[in-house]
């Protein structure tokens, strides 16, 4: 922890100077900057080569700080108690007098907010006088990072500090739920849909398009390892990588297991690491066996479908 403290202080100093720092979270690593600063948030977009039309998620550590930026009612306080900190992002109504940089929201009247669960990042957030805007720490459209080395792969030395918080426990981005007007899931992710439905006592619809907001990250090519992907494959040639969710009796060099026992949570955790590894090994094509479309399987399929758009 002593070591962590000095890294956290270094991160704080950089962030206070409008620099970007990569932070660990339980979902994926984020590329963080002061959400109140135009300069810092602009740097995030530049580093990621991200279109400014795609708004950022802002990370908080206390409801108190969130109240400066968004309208909070009793219903939200209850949702917060149930799900936070955790792998879920809420779309809320932005307050007019909020200090959130316009770069973050692309001038929209809503804000995506999240309370991450990682001891180092939570400690850092506690020390700051502002929340952190943080998209996934990858070049736009590429695979999200789940470790310090992944972030290094993406940005090299362009990011001044990458905090090492170990491997992300969930390994998939947060679930995004719109709480403005009719409740809707905008992105499947680390918080199981079943848990959300149970809490609200109804099926919350999932739709990645929203008539008021275009969410480029949700619809076009995304999460891409830069190699063609074939889904629902039953076999692969020797020079193609074959991704499987359950260990085979006879295994080959080009077989990559997401899990040994068809454990879909574990498979989700291993997905992005596996895609990165396959790319590093220079395979020119990826075949993926059919993955059950339930629980985390649904999220894995969503990511693979987007990654396979040509
Ligand atoms: O797990 C996560 O959510 C990670 C970690 C770092 O927190 N962050 C992440 O951020 O995945 P990013 O930028 O890669 O994805 C954020 C998504 C984008 O697709 C964006 O379009 C959507 O959130 N978003 C942001 N603000 C929004 C808003 N006001 N309404 C609808 N969607 C929004
Ligand atoms: Mg992303």
């Amino acid at each position: 922890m002593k070591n962590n403290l000095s890294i956290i202080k270094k991160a704080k100093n950089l962030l206070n100077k409008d620099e970007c720092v990569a932070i660990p979270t339980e979902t994926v690593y984020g590329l963080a900057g002061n959400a109140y600063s135009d300069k810092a948030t602009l740097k995030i977009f530049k580093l990621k080569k991200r279109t400014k039309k795609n708004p950022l998620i802002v990370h908080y550590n206390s409801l108190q700080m969130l109240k400066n930026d968004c309208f909070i009612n009793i219903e939200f306080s209850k949702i917060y108690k149930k799900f936070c900190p955790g792998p879920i992002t809420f779309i809320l109504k932005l307050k007019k007098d909020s200090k959130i940089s316009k770069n973050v929201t692309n001038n929209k009247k809503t804000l995506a907010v999240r309370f991450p669960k990682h001891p180092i990042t939570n400690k850092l957030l506690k020390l700051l006088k502002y929340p952190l805007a943080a998209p996934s720490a990858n070049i736009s459209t590429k695979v999200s990072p789940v470790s310090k080395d992944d972030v290094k792969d993406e940005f090299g030395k362009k990011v001044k500090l990458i905090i090492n918080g170990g491997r992300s426990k969930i390994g998939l981005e947060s679930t995004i739920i719109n709480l403005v007007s009719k409740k809707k899931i905008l992105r499947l992710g680390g918080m199981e849909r079943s848990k959300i439905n149970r809490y609200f006592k109804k099926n919350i619809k999932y739709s990645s398009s929203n008539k008021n907001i275009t969410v480029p990250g949700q619809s076009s090519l995304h999460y891409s390892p830069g190699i063609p992907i074939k889904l629902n494959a039953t076999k692969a040639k020797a020079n193609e990588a074959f991704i499987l969710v359950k260990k085979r009796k006879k295994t080959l060099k080009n077989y990559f297991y997401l899990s040994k026992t068809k454990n879909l949570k574990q498979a989700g955790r291993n997905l992005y690491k596996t895609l990165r590894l396959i790319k590093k090994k220079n395979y020119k094509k990826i075949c993926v066996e059919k993955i059950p479309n339930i629980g985390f399987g649904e999220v894995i399929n969503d990511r693979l479908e987007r990654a396979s758009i040509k």
Side-chain angles (χ1 to χ4, degrees):
M1 198 61 196
K2 211 174 157 206
N3 264 346
N4 284 345
L5 262 182
S6 69
I7 290 285
I8 290 168
K9 275 189 192 149
K10 199 171 161 193
K12 179 185 161 187
N13 288 336
L14 285 167
L15 290 162
N16 282 345
K17 286 186 215 148
D18 288 327
E19 294 294 346
C20 297
V21 170
I23 56 166
T25 88
E26 81 279 33
T27 57
V28 299
Y29 274 63
L31 184 63
N34 177 354
Y36 293 158
S37 153
D38 290 339
K39 200 173 155 195
T41 49
L42 193 64
K43 271 189 192 160
I44 296 176
F45 283 92
K46 285 216 164 126
L47 278 166
K48 270 186 70 92
K49 303 194 176 96
R50 174 167 169 137
T51 157
K52 287 205 31 211
K53 283 186 197 150
N54 194 4
L56 305 178
I57 297 177
V58 178
H59 297 65
Y60 292 84
N61 189 55
S62 79
L63 205 51
Q64 210 49 42
M65 199 185 265
L66 176 65
K67 282 180 183 163
N68 298 327
D69 299 321
C70 291
F71 291 99
I72 304 298
N73 55 20
I74 291 175
E75 193 198 8
F76 181 76
S77 306
K78 284 187 190 156
I79 295 172
Y80 168 83
K81 269 193 196 134
K82 170 75 186 169
F83 292 106
C84 300
I88 185 163
T89 294
F90 308 100
I91 308 297
L92 298 172
K93 223 169 132 190
L94 186 67
K95 280 187 174 169
K96 270 217 176 87
D97 60 352
S98 153
K99 287 192 248 161
I100 293 286
S101 163
K102 295 274 182 286
N103 292 333
V104 170
T105 55
N106 186 29
N107 280 313
K108 295 275 185 303
K109 293 189 173 66
T110 56
L111 185 67
V113 308
R114 172 160 129 70
F115 294 82
K117 190 178 183 178
H118 191 290
I120 299 178
T121 292
N122 287 4
K123 178 103 197 177
L124 171 64
L125 281 167
K126 239 184 229 165
L127 293 178
L128 301 173
K129 295 195 170 71
Y130 44 82
L132 290 176
S136 51
N138 52 278
I139 305 291
S140 217
T141 79
K142 299 294 181 210
V143 177
S144 295
V146 293
S147 70
K148 178 182 174 166
D149 287 344
D150 294 351
V151 182
K152 227 175 173 179
D153 269 358
E154 291 289 317
F155 295 106
K157 291 200 174 114
K158 282 190 192 144
V159 174
K160 293 217 165 108
L161 177 67
I162 307 171
I163 301 177
N164 188 357
R167 185 80 179 267
S168 293
K169 285 213 166 101
I170 292 178
L172 295 164
E173 299 79 357
S174 61
T175 301
I176 303 181
I177 179 165
N178 187 2
L179 298 178
V180 181
S181 67
K182 200 170 162 30
K183 285 181 196 67
K184 205 158 125 190
I185 292 175
L186 301 177
R187 177 175 74 184
L188 301 171
M191 180 60 73
E192 291 105 309
R193 250 173 121 177
S194 55
K195 285 191 182 155
I196 294 173
N197 289 341
R198 211 176 306 141
Y199 177 82
F200 289 107
K201 297 195 178 73
K202 62 176 176 195
N203 271 341
I204 306 294
K205 247 179 90 176
Y206 163 56
S207 157
S208 60
S209 64
N210 184 317
K211 65 174 181 314
N212 299 315
I213 300 161
T214 42
V215 187
Q218 308 298 352
S219 49
S220 53
L221 174 72
H222 221 66
Y223 315 108
S224 168
I227 321 170
I229 300 181
K230 182 174 186 257
L231 303 177
N232 302 324
T234 49
K235 56 179 190 287
K237 292 181 191 146
N239 62 355
E240 297 169 347
F242 197 14
I243 296 184
L244 303 143
V245 273
K246 193 176 166 218
K247 193 132 173 92
R248 294 289 202 275
K249 269 194 199 124
K250 188 175 160 246
T251 193
L252 294 171
K253 215 177 90 193
N254 62 331
Y255 283 18
F256 294 85
Y257 295 108
L258 294 182
S259 135
K260 277 185 181 147
T261 56
K262 232 183 197 176
N263 176 327
L264 295 174
K265 189 165 189 178
Q266 194 181 45
R269 184 168 188 256
N270 288 326
L271 179 68
Y272 292 152
K273 265 284 177 220
T274 306
L275 292 176
R276 244 172 231 281
L277 178 66
I278 290 171
K279 166 107 184 170
K280 273 205 178 132
K281 287 189 182 268
N282 260 321
Y283 282 97
K284 298 287 180 262
K285 188 176 171 184
I286 302 176
C287 298
V288 189
E289 81 166 335
K290 192 174 166 82
I291 294 169
N293 207 36
I294 44 163
F296 282 98
E298 194 183 24
V299 189
I300 297 170
N301 284 328
D302 170 83
R303 300 301 192 265
L304 286 172
E305 272 157 30
R306 289 177 202 287
S308 63
I309 294 173
K310 285 188 194 85

